[in-house]
Amino acid sequence: MKTNTLPNVTDFSGTILIPVFETYSKSIVPITFNGLEVTSKVFFGKKDTHYLAEKNNNTYVFIGLGKEIDYKSLKTTFRRISSKQKENFSSNVALVIPEQFTHDHVEAMISGLLLGTYDLGHFKSDKNVHPFLEPVFSLNLVSEKDYLSTAKKGIKIAKAQLATYNLVDLPPNTVNPKYLANWAKETGEKYGFDVEVLGYEASKIAGLGAFLAVGKGSENEPQFIIMNYTPTTEVEHVKHVGLVGKGITFDTGGLNIKTAGMLHMKCDMAGGGAVFGAMQLIADLQLPVKVTAIVPCAENSVDAKSFLPSDVIHSYSGHSIEIIDTDAEGRLILADGLSYLIKNFKPEYIVDIATLTGSSVGTFGYECGALFTKNTEMAKKLQENGDAIGERLWPLPLWDAYKSDIESDIADVKNYSGKPVAGAISAAKFLEYFTQEHKAWAHLDVAGVAFGDDEFAKSKHATGYGVHLLTKFIENL
Ligand code: BES
Ligand code: MG
Ligand code: ZN
């Protein structure tokens, strides 16, 4: 995609997008642009409305912004325009930038436009080509100011989010652990981060017993994916962030087979998907921070070889775990992911992200992720960065009063309290047990926000939650 700046659209031909703030509907002053007049009877910039006009071979799309704008609604508005007005898009697009827009607003608009090219019909024989996807597409920013680097950033963000949409929405018979390992290797090669993958044998030698227990019932070999991004720019004290993402490519529940909601469980690698997208984006933006990311990938399946409820397994940390429920599998692979990260890489900050519990959905619904950390500075930064882009987080406690939920008689710890209360919190307490009292660890339970319903499809699909949040958090550390 080519981007450049135009001072006006006098000599432009193609599609012209004109964002318009809401004016009074009975205004006698019409909205005018390039000699075109739109009377306020038909269009006055109301949010979620648009108005199309043709003149001199140009298509004008007036886009209603409402009275106030924020990052997320702006992004959605432009995603909608590009997704639902495809037929009105030529491969030459001019985007008029209102004077009062900030760089963040421009970033949101451009990311949204690109996200609108996403087509969920991965396996449809008549997959449509969106003009934006054509090899040579040019986006002309109409402004007196220079927004080019912002535009490029908006494009990079959307490309990373699109990558995550693909990984999460593709079915589990395509996206298995090996697929994710190959994706990581190819993307690392392309964007500039190192990738190491431990398959079954290597994981066994390493002692990743909790990780391997989960994958035992599947035909698809588990893959423990380790990614390392090292900035090329010289920085005096380079910060080091560790990320861990849950990469369950499908969660049947295992022998404690799911009775509800199994259909959607291809989304159970969405935490890992967010980490993959974030790694692409961090490398693409060449952020001056060192990042080590681990995504343990496995399928939780039903088989004679599956791990059993009441099994005692041996984790990488050396601690034994009693399995109360095989459907509490995410915390097992994350336990090994966290221990491996801390032991081998010792990052200063750690964030893990996972579609971990139905309980977090019960608590917050689809509005925010659950945030767990004892580090108040990290909590603040994660929340602030999330708020700025509409990926919200809200805290839940990590009080030791909940510790008894994971105390086992036979082993060091158990993977589930067995009680249908405080599920997200006891899962977080379980993870905490494997963090060696790390002073800057945060856990994000994103079961309610990583995959959901919206206006862009008939069924639930990936939201890309976490890609931008993790990247922005790291960028602003
Ligand atoms: N993958 C699920 C959690 C989940 C629920 C993700 C809804 C996305 C949407 C997780 O592995 C799970 O099964 N959790 C159980 C844990 C329980 C058995 C302790 C749950 O939350 O019910
Ligand atoms: Mg489960
Ligand atoms: Zn799961």
Side-chain angles (χ1 to χ4, degrees), residues 456-470:
F456 298 107
K458 293 183 275 294
S459 52
K460 285 187 189 290
H461 55 277
T463 64
Y465 184 102
V467 175
H468 197 184
L469 171 65
L470 293 172

PDB file of all heavy atoms in Angstrom, residues 456-470:
ATOM      1  N   PHE A 456     -19.787  -7.169  12.039  1.00  0.00           N
ATOM      2  CA  PHE A 456     -19.028  -7.578  10.859  1.00  0.00           C
ATOM      3  C   PHE A 456     -19.218  -9.029  10.432  1.00  0.00           C
ATOM      4  O   PHE A 456     -18.651  -9.459   9.438  1.00  0.00           O
ATOM      5  CB  PHE A 456     -17.540  -7.254  11.041  1.00  0.00           C
ATOM      6  CG  PHE A 456     -17.308  -5.771  11.200  1.00  0.00           C
ATOM      7  CD1 PHE A 456     -16.972  -5.231  12.437  1.00  0.00           C
ATOM      8  CD2 PHE A 456     -17.481  -4.907  10.122  1.00  0.00           C
ATOM      9  CE1 PHE A 456     -16.802  -3.856  12.580  1.00  0.00           C
ATOM     10  CE2 PHE A 456     -17.308  -3.541  10.259  1.00  0.00           C
ATOM     11  CZ  PHE A 456     -16.969  -3.011  11.494  1.00  0.00           C
ATOM     12  N   ALA A 457     -19.999  -9.789  11.194  1.00  0.00           N
ATOM     13  CA  ALA A 457     -20.247 -11.177  10.795  1.00  0.00           C
ATOM     14  C   ALA A 457     -21.462 -11.718  11.531  1.00  0.00           C
ATOM     15  O   ALA A 457     -21.929 -11.124  12.501  1.00  0.00           O
ATOM     16  CB  ALA A 457     -19.026 -12.032  11.106  1.00  0.00           C
ATOM     17  N   LYS A 458     -21.954 -12.845  11.045  1.00  0.00           N
ATOM     18  CA  LYS A 458     -23.125 -13.456  11.668  1.00  0.00           C
ATOM     19  C   LYS A 458     -22.741 -14.293  12.891  1.00  0.00           C
ATOM     20  O   LYS A 458     -23.544 -14.488  13.783  1.00  0.00           O
ATOM     21  CB  LYS A 458     -23.841 -14.349  10.646  1.00  0.00           C
ATOM     22  CG  LYS A 458     -24.458 -13.545   9.489  1.00  0.00           C
ATOM     23  CD  LYS A 458     -25.233 -14.433   8.531  1.00  0.00           C
ATOM     24  CE  LYS A 458     -24.340 -15.056   7.479  1.00  0.00           C
ATOM     25  NZ  LYS A 458     -23.753 -14.076   6.533  1.00  0.00           N
ATOM     26  N   SER A 459     -21.516 -14.802  12.886  1.00  0.00           N
ATOM     27  CA  SER A 459     -21.097 -15.652  14.006  1.00  0.00           C
ATOM     28  C   SER A 459     -19.922 -15.016  14.750  1.00  0.00           C
ATOM     29  O   SER A 459     -19.324 -14.049  14.282  1.00  0.00           O
ATOM     30  CB  SER A 459     -20.697 -17.026  13.472  1.00  0.00           C
ATOM     31  OG  SER A 459     -19.751 -16.870  12.435  1.00  0.00           O
ATOM     32  N   LYS A 460     -19.619 -15.582  15.900  1.00  0.00           N
ATOM     33  CA  LYS A 460     -18.514 -15.059  16.717  1.00  0.00           C
ATOM     34  C   LYS A 460     -17.201 -15.167  15.948  1.00  0.00           C
ATOM     35  O   LYS A 460     -16.985 -16.129  15.203  1.00  0.00           O
ATOM     36  CB  LYS A 460     -18.398 -15.872  18.012  1.00  0.00           C
ATOM     37  CG  LYS A 460     -19.467 -15.575  19.047  1.00  0.00           C
ATOM     38  CD  LYS A 460     -19.130 -16.309  20.346  1.00  0.00           C
ATOM     39  CE  LYS A 460     -20.241 -16.237  21.365  1.00  0.00           C
ATOM     40  NZ  LYS A 460     -20.420 -14.891  21.928  1.00  0.00           N
ATOM     41  N   HIS A 461     -16.348 -14.204  16.149  1.00  0.00           N
ATOM     42  CA  HIS A 461     -15.050 -14.211  15.463  1.00  0.00           C
ATOM     43  C   HIS A 461     -14.022 -13.415  16.260  1.00  0.00           C
ATOM     44  O   HIS A 461     -14.363 -12.744  17.236  1.00  0.00           O
ATOM     45  CB  HIS A 461     -15.204 -13.643  14.045  1.00  0.00           C
ATOM     46  CG  HIS A 461     -15.821 -12.289  14.052  1.00  0.00           C
ATOM     47  ND1 HIS A 461     -17.189 -12.103  14.117  1.00  0.00           N
ATOM     48  CD2 HIS A 461     -15.282 -11.068  14.061  1.00  0.00           C
ATOM     49  CE1 HIS A 461     -17.440 -10.818  14.158  1.00  0.00           C
ATOM     50  NE2 HIS A 461     -16.299 -10.154  14.135  1.00  0.00           N
ATOM     51  N   ALA A 462     -12.781 -13.489  15.794  1.00  0.00           N
ATOM     52  CA  ALA A 462     -11.668 -12.856  16.504  1.00  0.00           C
ATOM     53  C   ALA A 462     -11.842 -11.345  16.590  1.00  0.00           C
ATOM     54  O   ALA A 462     -12.339 -10.714  15.651  1.00  0.00           O
ATOM     55  CB  ALA A 462     -10.362 -13.164  15.780  1.00  0.00           C
ATOM     56  N   THR A 463     -11.413 -10.775  17.717  1.00  0.00           N
ATOM     57  CA  THR A 463     -11.449  -9.314  17.875  1.00  0.00           C
ATOM     58  C   THR A 463     -10.051  -8.700  17.774  1.00  0.00           C
ATOM     59  O   THR A 463      -9.918  -7.488  17.640  1.00  0.00           O
ATOM     60  CB  THR A 463     -11.998  -8.928  19.265  1.00  0.00           C
ATOM     61  OG1 THR A 463     -11.060  -9.431  20.249  1.00  0.00           O
ATOM     62  CG2 THR A 463     -13.367  -9.528  19.521  1.00  0.00           C
ATOM     63  N   GLY A 464      -9.036  -9.529  17.872  1.00  0.00           N
ATOM     64  CA  GLY A 464      -7.659  -9.007  17.858  1.00  0.00           C
ATOM     65  C   GLY A 464      -7.265  -8.380  19.191  1.00  0.00           C
ATOM     66  O   GLY A 464      -6.186  -7.793  19.309  1.00  0.00           O
ATOM     67  N   TYR A 465      -8.128  -8.514  20.205  1.00  0.00           N
ATOM     68  CA  TYR A 465      -7.852  -7.920  21.513  1.00  0.00           C
ATOM     69  C   TYR A 465      -6.456  -8.340  21.989  1.00  0.00           C
ATOM     70  O   TYR A 465      -6.109  -9.520  21.945  1.00  0.00           O
ATOM     71  CB  TYR A 465      -8.897  -8.379  22.552  1.00  0.00           C
ATOM     72  CG  TYR A 465      -8.732  -7.724  23.909  1.00  0.00           C
ATOM     73  CD1 TYR A 465      -9.557  -6.679  24.302  1.00  0.00           C
ATOM     74  CD2 TYR A 465      -7.741  -8.143  24.791  1.00  0.00           C
ATOM     75  CE1 TYR A 465      -9.384  -6.068  25.546  1.00  0.00           C
ATOM     76  CE2 TYR A 465      -7.557  -7.541  26.029  1.00  0.00           C
ATOM     77  CZ  TYR A 465      -8.392  -6.498  26.400  1.00  0.00           C
ATOM     78  OH  TYR A 465      -8.221  -5.903  27.615  1.00  0.00           O
ATOM     79  N   GLY A 466      -5.707  -7.373  22.449  1.00  0.00           N
ATOM     80  CA  GLY A 466      -4.396  -7.674  23.036  1.00  0.00           C
ATOM     81  C   GLY A 466      -3.217  -7.317  22.150  1.00  0.00           C
ATOM     82  O   GLY A 466      -2.161  -6.953  22.659  1.00  0.00           O
ATOM     83  N   VAL A 467      -3.396  -7.404  20.825  1.00  0.00           N
ATOM     84  CA  VAL A 467      -2.264  -7.120  19.920  1.00  0.00           C
ATOM     85  C   VAL A 467      -1.769  -5.694  20.146  1.00  0.00           C
ATOM     86  O   VAL A 467      -0.594  -5.449  20.423  1.00  0.00           O
ATOM     87  CB  VAL A 467      -2.686  -7.296  18.432  1.00  0.00           C
ATOM     88  CG1 VAL A 467      -1.548  -6.874  17.504  1.00  0.00           C
ATOM     89  CG2 VAL A 467      -3.124  -8.721  18.151  1.00  0.00           C
ATOM     90  N   HIS A 468      -2.703  -4.759  20.074  1.00  0.00           N
ATOM     91  CA  HIS A 468      -2.337  -3.357  20.218  1.00  0.00           C
ATOM     92  C   HIS A 468      -2.042  -3.023  21.680  1.00  0.00           C
ATOM     93  O   HIS A 468      -1.106  -2.288  21.986  1.00  0.00           O
ATOM     94  CB  HIS A 468      -3.468  -2.479  19.658  1.00  0.00           C
ATOM     95  CG  HIS A 468      -3.050  -1.067  19.383  1.00  0.00           C
ATOM     96  ND1 HIS A 468      -3.933  -0.107  18.954  1.00  0.00           N
ATOM     97  CD2 HIS A 468      -1.844  -0.448  19.485  1.00  0.00           C
ATOM     98  CE1 HIS A 468      -3.268   1.041  18.812  1.00  0.00           C
ATOM     99  NE2 HIS A 468      -2.016   0.860  19.122  1.00  0.00           N
ATOM    100  N   LEU A 469      -2.846  -3.590  22.576  1.00  0.00           N
ATOM    101  CA  LEU A 469      -2.669  -3.335  24.016  1.00  0.00           C
ATOM    102  C   LEU A 469      -1.263  -3.711  24.489  1.00  0.00           C
ATOM    103  O   LEU A 469      -0.564  -2.910  25.132  1.00  0.00           O
ATOM    104  CB  LEU A 469      -3.730  -4.114  24.800  1.00  0.00           C
ATOM    105  CG  LEU A 469      -3.599  -4.148  26.322  1.00  0.00           C
ATOM    106  CD1 LEU A 469      -3.762  -2.764  26.922  1.00  0.00           C
ATOM    107  CD2 LEU A 469      -4.638  -5.090  26.927  1.00  0.00           C
ATOM    108  N   LEU A 470      -0.824  -4.937  24.175  1.00  0.00           N
ATOM    109  CA  LEU A 470       0.511  -5.386  24.604  1.00  0.00           C
ATOM    110  C   LEU A 470       1.595  -4.519  23.977  1.00  0.00           C
ATOM    111  O   LEU A 470       2.548  -4.118  24.641  1.00  0.00           O
ATOM    112  CB  LEU A 470       0.732  -6.855  24.206  1.00  0.00           C
ATOM    113  CG  LEU A 470      -0.133  -7.903  24.922  1.00  0.00           C
ATOM    114  CD1 LEU A 470       0.068  -9.282  24.289  1.00  0.00           C
ATOM    115  CD2 LEU A 470       0.190  -7.959  26.411  1.00  0.00           C
TER     116      LEU A 470
END
